Amino acid sequence: QYTRVWIPDPDEVWRSAEIIKDYKVGDKSLQLKLEDETLYEYPIDLQGSELPFLRNPDILVGQNDLTALSYLHEPAVLHNLKVRFLESNHIYTYCGIVLVAINPYEQLPIYEQDVIYAYSGQNMGDMDPHIFAVAEEAYKQMARDEKNQSIIVSGESGAGKTVSAKYAMRFFATVGGSASETNIEAKVLASSPIMEAIGNAKTTRNDNSSRFGKYIQIGFDKRYHIIGANMRTYLLEKSRVVFQAEDERNYHIFYQLCASSSLPEFKDLGLTCAEDFFYTSQGGDTSIDGVDDADDFEKTRHAFTLLGVKESHQMTIFRIIAAILHLGNLKIQGERDGEVCSVSSEDEHLKNFCSLLGVEHSQMQHWLCHRKLVTTAETYVKSMSLHQVVNARNALAKHIYAQLFNWIVHHVNKALHTTVKQHSFIGVLDIYGFETFEVNSFEQFCINYANEKLQQQFNSHVFKLEQEEYMKEAIPWTLIDFYDNQPCIDLIEAKLGILDLLDEECKVPKGTDQNWAQKLYDRHAASQHFQKPRMSNTSFIVLHFADKVEYQSEGFLEKNRDTVYEEQINILKASKYQMVADLFQEEKDAVPTTAVPKRAPRINVRSAKPAFKAANKEHRKTVGHQFRNSLQLLMETLNATTPHYVRCIKPNDEKLPFKFDPKRAVQQLRACGVLETIRISAAGFPSRWSYTDFFNRYRVLMSKRDLSKNDKKQICQTLLEELIKDPDKFQFGRTKIFFRAGQVAYLEKLRADKFRAATIMIQKTVRGWLERTRFRRLRRATLTLQCYTRGHLARRWAFLAQLLGWRTRAAIILQKQYRMLRMRRAFLRVRSAALTIQAFARGMFVRRIYRQMLMEHKATILQRYARGWLARARFRRARAAALNIGMENKVVQLQRKVDEQNKENKLLNEQLSMLTSAHSSEVEKLKKELQQAHGEREVMEDSHSKERDLLKKVCLSLQKRVRELEVERKKLQAQLEKKEQESKKSQARGIFSWILIFHIYNKAQRRVILVEKQVTAFTISEGQELESENKKLKNELNELRKAIADHATQNNSANDVQDGYSLLLNQLKSANEELEVRKEEVLILRSQIMKAAQQKEMGKNMVKKRVMDFLFLLPLCCKTEDWGYLNEDGELGLAYQGLKQVARLLEAQLQEQRREHEEEMEALKNQVDFMQEELEKQQQAFLQTLQLSPEVQVEFGLQQEITRLTNENLVRGCDLKELLEKLEKNEKKLKKQLKIYMKKVHDFEGDLELHPHELISGNQALSEIKLGNWRVSTACPAALCQCDLHVGLFCLIALQQSSQTMVPVERRLHERNMQVAVQRKEKDFQGMLEYYKEDEPLLIRNLITELKPQAVSATVPCLPAYILYMCLRHADYINDDQKVHSLLTSTINGVKKVLKAGHQDDFEMTSFWLANMCRLLHCLKQYSGEECFMTQNTAKQNEHCLKNFDLTEYRQVLGQLSIQIYQQLIKIARGILHPMIVSAVLENESIQGLSSVKTVGYRKYSSNAGDICYSLDEMIHELNTFHSIMCDQGLDPEIIQQVFKQLFYMINAITLNNLLLRKDVCSWSTGMQLRFNISQLEEWLRGKNLQQSGAAQTLEPLIQAAQLLQLKKKTWEDAEAICSLCTALTTHQIVKILNLYTPVNEFEERVTVAFIRDIQTQLQGRNDPTQLLLDFKHLFPVLFPFNPSAITMDSIHLPASLNLDFLNKV
């Protein structure tokens, strides 16, 4: 009961019904209820036991693929096609590997260029069925498997075969466009109008019916670009040239030529309208509605020209066609009852025929009515009867047209032929489908024979694919019993088959159609595929795979012979027109074979046209024989390729748009093999689910224990074994589960029952809760009513009980109350009268007293005011006389002070400006000196390390010296006493020298103290003067305030006083400001004094320490009395003592250096922390700046930079000033002391020359010397200039005494003085870089072609652009126009070369050069000298402007280059994001749990199994990468915004296009998922501060599409809401989404056709474009707003990593 079934119907073929009573075995009928609620009793054949077909659940209806239906049978297929075609307007549906295409008889917007790009690269099954999907699958398999492909398009006339083949070729021409300039794809498409003109005609079923079959091979090279094409034709319907049925036409070219006969070039053709010619007027109406023959003729001529057909050849073609029309109008005159005929020599049409073809008039006139008979004995001419002449004329006309057709096909192939080696090809077969008419002749027999062969190949291929699928999934399979039409094919083509007997009968001299039919009866009467009609002896029936067809044998022999008389052909061969003569020459050479790849078997591809044979040889090769051979070649080609099938269906015979005739559709479905595909699929396992999809769909049927397991495959197996007991109903493959027909419907029923039970449980619970709540409310109300009712009754009973006892008491009470009321009223009247009298009396007395007091008070007030006025008048007169004289004097004094103050202000302002300029220049000098100081520090560190190494060498030399002294000990022992005496003398001399040094030091120290006192006194005096001046100003201000206040109180109305008061206030303000400035100056001076005092105190301590160290070492150096303890080894002990002292000194020095190093490290750490804090502040300021407008950003940035530079100058200026003063003082000291010590050195040299024996002991003593932080070095004489006074002296002595060479001291001092004197004075960098002309290629190579963005990542952004501009500026500075031109040209060419050579897919490199080219463009504008670009420049930047050249044209070139780089950047980003978008945005399950409601029956047929699934996080990661790269490289924020606007538009377009072409994603769950993903993208935009870029607005159509999927779609109000909401979507897009909308389960209703009609009605007023899809390659116009830089050219540093040493700073 309640099961829905299909029952046969004579009108609708199949009709749906519902069983209303359970069926039991043995019942003779089923009780059914039809859809119109009528009852129907369906009889059941008990012998056949055939029950009606079951209907699929509604959730499965409307699937993209017919094989996804659970119940696979004819009514299910027909209903699914009908629902898709009528309700959703989908004309394409998959049936396994077959694409079923229903002709809509209406132009649909689904074939545009953007649709081609949308299907390109997609897998078959990922998107809605389409002819482009089949073409893409063929193209992809050709590229992947390197195997040739074929697309077989079949169907009956009017089904749309030609259009489908045309669209497939358009797809190949677009996707596989030729790599060369030959434009071969345009030629392939241009062949279509030519072939339609000469091979298509109007029939009763189709206005543009192809009357021939064609197989077009499109050749591809190794890169899979189109290189050529080749066309083969099959069985042209030549009989149409001479005969047309009613409402049919001849070939289009005849009517096109007649419609254009008025053109001047066609005047000689002798043509008029088509109605005037017999060959074009037999069908009646010669026009087609909506078709302009003249316009089509122009397209045909244009196609001829495009294919390279000469104009002369075109005219010859049109002459031949016109000649055929004239041939049909010949008037044949019969004589002797028609046995003899003739044509008049004056016949106008005969003249035109002969002149157009260039043949002899008399010969043609004669041989049209005669024929030559050749026997063994003689040859004679015989007249022909009227019937024979007409047939001969028609045969000649057909033969001429056939030869012309073959010539055109040959030249089309010649134009499409290529010399390039063909790697692979895709063939498109556009061939007639199975045909059956009331009268079927030879043409229908050949067509149906070809379809038998194609069906056999189709069946074997489908069976092969099913077998491969089972083997791949390791499913045990058995042979499937499918229809094999080989017996029918054998009946036709086997030995002594129908074609054999036909050829044999044609060879018989007097063979007839009746004799041939009788032979068929005799030979094939026992065949199961052959039958003889009961009522005819000239017809026969063949049982084809689609239907049985009755053929009339009349005309078979004549059409098979295709007889043309030799004499007529010879006349045409002798034509004076070469092309006409060539048409009828015998073919000597075959058409060259088409190249095929080595891997494929060699197949000769040649035209199937009949051979050009003479009449006496025509019987050797009949039309049937030719057709059989060409068909065999076709089958060999198809078998060597991978076929793809397109079955075209004609929905109705009236050619009405979107009308579906079930009878005609079923007839064609049976004929085209679709139902056979269904039957083969149903015989195996048609339903296939992956384990994941099955788990997500049917997890509701699983138990909690099973769901807790991790192995989904095992869970699915356990579930199916529990639900389906028959193991033959399903099989487990490696990746899929295979189901028999009907099992998915059974599982859907179980799932629906589970949901229904859960729904009932929920409804039951909710209803119970509602009823309980209602009951409780009613019960509470009832109890309340009862309570009040009972109370009322109780009170009423008590009242009645007490009523009788209360009557007497009640009467007394009433009397008492009445008497009391009467007396109270009387009392109140008396009381009210008394109170009224009293009130009036009291009021009268009070008013009298008030009037008297008022009169006295007024008099007092008048007197007071009068007396006050008189007193004030006297006071004013007295005060005015006293103050006028003093006030004038005070005003004069104040005016004098104001003038003096103004002069001082002017003077101070001038001083301030001078100080500011001096300060800025001084800061620059200090910066440079600081850099030099850093360099000198590094030199000192190097010398320090060298000195340490030298000391180690000294230690080693000392050890060696000890050994030498050991040897000489005995020799020198005798001289010990003399040396001691001499050493005492030298000691005294040394003490004297050190005393002298100490005296000089004390004098220098006193001088320093004196200078400090002077500075302190100066600053103190200056500070006191400022303070005293400040006090004076304060006193004067107080006096002024008092005077002004007094004057204001005396005369408030005086205007001159008010003006003076305002003037004084302004002076007061200026004085306050000056006071504040003076205070700040005082504070700065005090801080400088304190710092100078601290530094000088430290310097004094250091000098003291060094002197004390020296004094401490002095006795050690001179102590000799303790050295005599080694009487035997005196010198050994002396050396040992020296080594100990050296070790101690080195250790102390090492500790001190370690301490200093730690202090330096601490200072560096503090500096790093400070820099980090500064960096964080800068980042915060940068984030704040990004949120402001561009103008405010620039202003805010300038303020921040000014503040920072001011602070740095204040801090660094003081330090540098102090350091400079200290260095200058030290330099003066050292110069003076060096002069003094030079004299000392000369004195010492004289003494040492007089006493050479003192060298040894002096050397030993000097080796132990250590003074402060300085170390003696004999290897660095230049370092002596850096020592202070005592260190310099000791270094000089050590150098002289330890030297092993004979260089005198004077020479060394001279060299040192030279080094000190020759110091280069640094000049200011002007922001220009100079290079030689020959270094330009090296500059371009190092800075552009070989530069990596990582090499300059740590420098200023866009550094190459700045460097190029500085080079350019120098060329402008020297006025070298050739250098400017060469540099800019080389730069532009270098950038183009970098972006083309290996970096076409490098986003980082492209972004890097886009940023640099934009920055270079901005620099050329900023420093161009134009005022509009210099408004934000500083004075320093204005100095860097170009002086000599106007580079406006180069700015335009750089702008164009920037646009090209921008477009390449977008292309690279599109290539990276394109594979991610659909998977990440549309398919990514960011919200878990929605996957369980995916629509059922979704299958993929592409074998491309390596698809990568991307998540939204991965795509956002790519966007983050793009953003960080562009920001790091300094790309302008405005350009970054435009980039992301373009990318988000692409995301919107690709996602929306995919949504519009996929039925499986148009559901409520996808809408929710899509909206969430879009919100993630919007959040990313907000996080990157890109809200103002317009990127979010580009997502609006996608947002509205997601909302459309989630809205209700039932009522008129819902339609209004959708129309008001979806403003960014076009009408076509809204309707398309509604048609694609698929319920996720059976509880959700489909969108009705009526609702969609309501939407269309409400949207009629919109002027939307007809285009369905968005162009995702559309580029918004890019703008490069001017963005000046705050960086000055002289502040840019060139890193050494760029290898630009040849650039010189100017």
Side-chain angles (χ1 to χ4, degrees), residues 976-987:
L976 180 59
E977 295 177 358
K978 295 180 180 180
K979 290 179 180 179
E980 289 178 356
Q981 295 176 359
E982 293 174 356
S983 63
K984 288 180 181 179
K985 295 179 181 179
S986 62
Q987 180 180 358

Side-chain angles (χ1 to χ4, degrees), residues 19 66 450 463 477 525 639 671 709 729 803 810 922 983 1201 1412 1506 1655:
I19 299 177
L66 297 175
F463 179 75
W477 59 281
N639 290 329
K709 300 177 183 178
K729 298 297 183 182
L803 183 61
E922 192 175 17
S983 63
E1201 188 66 18
N1412 278 277
I1655 292 286

Side-chain angles (χ1 to χ4, degrees), residues 1464-1661:
Q1464 182 172 338
L1465 185 76
I1466 295 299
K1467 183 179 179 181
I1468 294 171
R1470 181 194 298 142
I1472 296 173
L1473 291 179
H1474 192 220
M1476 297 183 176
I1477 293 174
V1478 175
S1479 178
V1481 181
L1482 198 59
E1483 298 175 353
N1484 178 50
E1485 296 180 1
S1486 302
I1487 304 177
Q1488 298 297 326
L1490 291 180
S1491 60
S1492 61
V1493 293
K1494 183 185 285 188
T1495 56
V1496 300
Y1498 176 62
R1499 295 177 61 186
K1500 290 186 178 182
Y1501 295 97
S1502 177
S1503 56
N1504 190 14
D1507 294 338
I1508 302 175
C1509 295
Y1510 296 95
S1511 64
L1512 186 64
D1513 293 337
E1514 291 175 326
M1515 191 178 79
I1516 291 178
H1517 174 72
E1518 287 294 335
L1519 294 175
N1520 281 326
T1521 303
F1522 294 159
H1523 187 267
S1524 62
I1525 288 174
M1526 290 187 288
C1527 290
D1528 293 344
Q1529 292 173 350
L1531 193 61
D1532 294 342
E1534 296 83 0
I1535 301 178
I1536 295 177
Q1537 291 180 358
Q1538 294 181 72
V1539 168
F1540 282 102
K1541 178 183 178 182
Q1542 188 67 55
L1543 294 181
F1544 272 71
Y1545 169 78
M1546 180 191 66
I1547 293 173
N1548 167 74
I1550 292 177
T1551 308
L1552 185 61
N1553 290 350
N1554 207 273
L1555 181 70
L1556 292 170
L1557 297 174
R1558 288 180 59 174
K1559 180 180 174 64
D1560 62 293
V1561 295
C1562 288
S1563 61
W1564 172 84
S1565 59
T1566 304
M1568 179 181 291
Q1569 188 72 65
L1570 184 59
R1571 191 66 190 90
F1572 176 78
N1573 293 338
I1574 295 172
S1575 67
Q1576 295 293 102
L1577 294 175
E1578 292 175 332
E1579 183 65 28
W1580 183 85
L1581 286 174
R1582 287 191 289 271
K1584 298 298 181 182
N1585 199 21
L1586 295 172
Q1587 306 97 309
Q1588 305 300 325
S1589 64
Q1593 286 73 15
T1594 60
L1595 297 175
E1596 192 61 30
L1598 196 59
I1599 295 173
Q1600 294 183 8
Q1603 293 172 343
L1604 176 59
L1605 293 174
Q1606 294 179 279
L1607 291 174
K1608 290 177 60 180
K1609 309 171 188 66
K1610 291 184 179 180
T1611 63
W1612 177 265
E1613 290 76 12
D1614 298 337
E1616 290 181 345
I1618 289 174
C1619 295
S1620 61
L1621 176 67
C1622 301
T1623 55
L1625 296 174
T1626 64
T1627 304
H1628 289 291
Q1629 291 170 345
I1630 296 173
V1631 173
K1632 181 70 173 179
I1633 292 174
L1634 293 176
N1635 283 327
L1636 290 173
Y1637 185 80
T1638 305
V1640 295
N1641 52 47
E1642 59 276 6
F1643 302 106
E1644 186 179 358
E1645 297 182 2
R1646 292 180 175 274
V1647 181
T1648 61
V1649 178
F1651 182 82
I1652 297 176
R1653 298 293 180 268
D1654 292 341
I1655 292 286
Q1656 291 175 326
T1657 302
Q1658 295 190 29
L1659 296 177
Q1660 282 180 352

Side-chain angles (χ1 to χ4, degrees), residues 6-17 34-36 55 74-75 78-79 82 660-666 670:
W6 293 103
I7 59 175
D9 185 80
D11 297 328
E12 300 181 5
V13 186
W14 297 99
R15 196 171 185 182
S16 176
L34 303 179
E35 289 181 338
D36 57 0
R55 181 172 174 175
E74 183 181 294
L78 185 65
H79 180 66
K82 181 179 179 181
F660 192 81
D661 185 356
K663 290 184 178 180
R664 292 287 291 119
V666 165
R670 293 168 181 169

